[in-house]
Amino acid sequence: MDLSTLSYQKFVQFALEQTKLRTTLTPLPSQEKFKSLKANDNKSVLNAISFCAPKIRLLRSLTIEDSQSMLVLDFAAFSKPEYDAPIFCANAFTTPSRSIVVLDLNPLYDVTIHPDYKEKYYKKLMPLSEKYSELLPWGGKLTSESLKFFSPIVIWTTVASSQLVHDVLFSAFVDYFKAWLELIDEATDEKDESLVLLNREAQHKYLTWRAEKDPGYSILKKLFGETLAKDLVRQFLFDGVDSLGSKTFLDYFPEYRLENGTVNKKRSMVGKSYETRPWNSAGEFIAD
Ligand code: BLA
């Protein structure tokens, strides 16, 4: 399809407007640093924004739009470590033929081993996973390791690009972002410093995973060159990876260690799995 009628700007604008209705956003230094970022191809249009708010450590968005070849949305929002709230995650990669999408409130703690966390945040949101299951169906096998960062309401899809899919995706983005804002509104700050520490480490582990293994990296490298792409990933997209903790990728994910001590470049050690949605509509894990 012709991408020139589609844009992810409306998604970002909606999120900013909704957030401003509830809290005060303050621009972060990383926004200033990356706002005049330019791509090597001289045609992709970029938009990079980043903010914090009293309960929000980082709300950032990167869009890359070239109507001839691709539209990219990478939007995420992280609470301050005083809150154990999920991470808002909206990633979309759209070409004239297909759209690859992950939309989720990524859990801070793996829901398959923390049922209390699942109960606390996802029980009442489960209807969302059904609402879009027809038009944005499960995308098939994915990197197995990614699944522990996903929630039972995750939308993971790879579908033919169309205006309808784009509109449905916007509607889903609206629902999921409002749900996230609601959770942030309701969140009360943790007073127990040892639990705040756990929250901080959980965010750091997530950032470490994504800064190392995000599937978008090869495209960022092509557009910006290796050095800038790395800075973009570590200082903008996953800001906090170098400050929220001191553990390394191999401390968190030792199975990726090669004999010479470096990180295995493979995305998955286990391989891809989960051909179908591994949660049922009650949020129970149904894959083995
Ligand atoms: C593919 N993106 C994918 C896949 C997933 C994600 C699961 C399928 C391949 C796989 O299983 O690894 C997304 N994975 C995620 C997310 C998390 C995760 C969000 O673990 C969070 C924890 N995608 C982007 C951006 C670009 C992009 C910004 O978000 C480009 C700049 C591209 N994603 C992209 C491409 C593919 C892809 C090109 C298909 C090619 C591939 O699989 O490598």
Side-chain angles (χ1 to χ4, degrees):
M1 82 162 296
D2 175 9
L3 295 183
S4 60
T5 61
L6 308 183
S7 168
Y8 286 114
Q9 287 315 312
K10 168 169 125 169
F11 292 54
V12 179
Q13 286 318 315
F14 171 83
L16 291 182
E17 280 160 22
Q18 287 295 307
T19 311
K20 285 179 193 159
L21 291 177
R22 293 173 182 251
T23 187
T24 307
L25 287 173
T26 309
L28 285 168
S30 68
Q31 166 167 298
E32 199 51 43
K33 187 157 182 206
F34 289 97
K35 79 170 183 212
S36 46
L37 188 71
K38 291 212 167 33
N40 295 335
D41 66 0
N42 280 321
K43 56 183 180 153
S44 293
V45 178
L46 308 177
N47 186 28
I49 54 160
S50 62
F51 297 91
C52 65
K55 288 179 162 184
I56 301 172
R57 182 182 69 81
L58 171 65
L59 181 154
R60 72 7 170 224
S61 168
L62 173 70
T63 56
I64 305 172
E65 307 201 307
D66 164 15
S67 61
Q68 249 126 60
S69 63
M70 63 168 189
L71 308 176
V72 172
L73 170 70
D74 188 339
F75 189 112
F78 305 83
S79 69
K80 291 194 171 156
E82 285 73 21
Y83 310 91
D84 69 355
I87 297 158
F88 180 77
C89 163
N91 280 70
F93 177 76
T94 296
T95 66
S97 59
R98 301 196 75 68
S99 293
I100 301 173
V101 175
V102 173
L103 176 63
D104 194 20
L105 310 188
N106 291 153
L108 213 50
Y109 299 99
D110 183 343
V111 289
T112 57
I113 44 182
H114 297 275
D116 49 329
Y117 189 83
K118 183 164 78 173
E119 182 86 7
K120 179 176 179 183
Y121 285 115
Y122 301 104
K123 198 178 177 194
K124 64 170 194 247
L125 295 175
M126 279 319 296
L128 281 179
S129 78
E130 295 258 275
K131 186 171 174 188
Y132 296 102
S133 62
E134 211 161 303
L135 290 165
L136 302 172
W138 187 256
K141 287 191 178 179
L142 74 160
T143 298
S144 306
E145 288 86 346
S146 288
L147 205 79
K148 55 178 169 290
F149 299 105
F150 290 178
S151 86
I153 62 165
V154 68
I155 292 178
W156 149 241
T157 196
T158 152
V159 285
S161 300
S162 72
Q163 185 67 51
L164 175 67
V165 162
H166 196 74
D167 294 344
V168 172
L169 191 59
F170 179 66
S171 164
F173 181 92
V174 164
D175 284 351
Y176 279 61
F177 193 71
K178 280 183 168 172
W180 184 79
L181 280 178
E182 199 68 47
L183 295 183
I184 294 295
D185 249 3
E186 291 163 0
T188 52
D189 58 327
E190 183 58 63
K191 299 283 189 275
D192 182 339
E193 189 51 38
S194 66
L195 295 178
V196 175
L197 231 101
L198 286 181
N199 293 342
R200 186 177 291 119
E201 174 153 299
Q203 256 196 48
H204 187 246
K205 182 178 183 183
Y206 176 93
L207 294 165
T208 303
W209 168 254
R210 295 202 61 187
E212 185 73 36
K213 294 296 176 193
D214 226 46
Y217 186 65
S218 61
I219 288 168
L220 298 181
K221 219 163 70 178
K222 223 179 288 165
L223 283 173
F224 304 111
E226 188 156 5
T227 309
L228 246 180
K230 257 195 192 125
D231 289 351
L232 186 63
V233 163
R234 300 193 77 86
Q235 299 168 22
F236 183 83
L237 293 175
F238 306 113
D239 189 12
V241 66
D242 294 318
S243 60
L244 284 190
S246 52
K247 286 194 183 169
T248 66
F249 181 83
L250 290 173
D251 291 335
Y252 291 122
F253 310 100
E255 62 278 17
Y256 285 84
R257 185 185 299 276
L258 290 172
E259 272 185 24
N260 67 4
T262 61
V263 176
N264 197 319
K265 291 286 169 217
K266 281 208 273 191
R267 195 176 304 142
S268 180
M269 297 310 296
V270 183
K272 289 196 177 193
S273 44
Y274 310 111
E275 182 78 60
T276 56
R277 187 176 191 85
W279 289 282
N280 66 15
S281 58
E284 291 155 348
F285 195 64
I286 52 168
D288 28 66

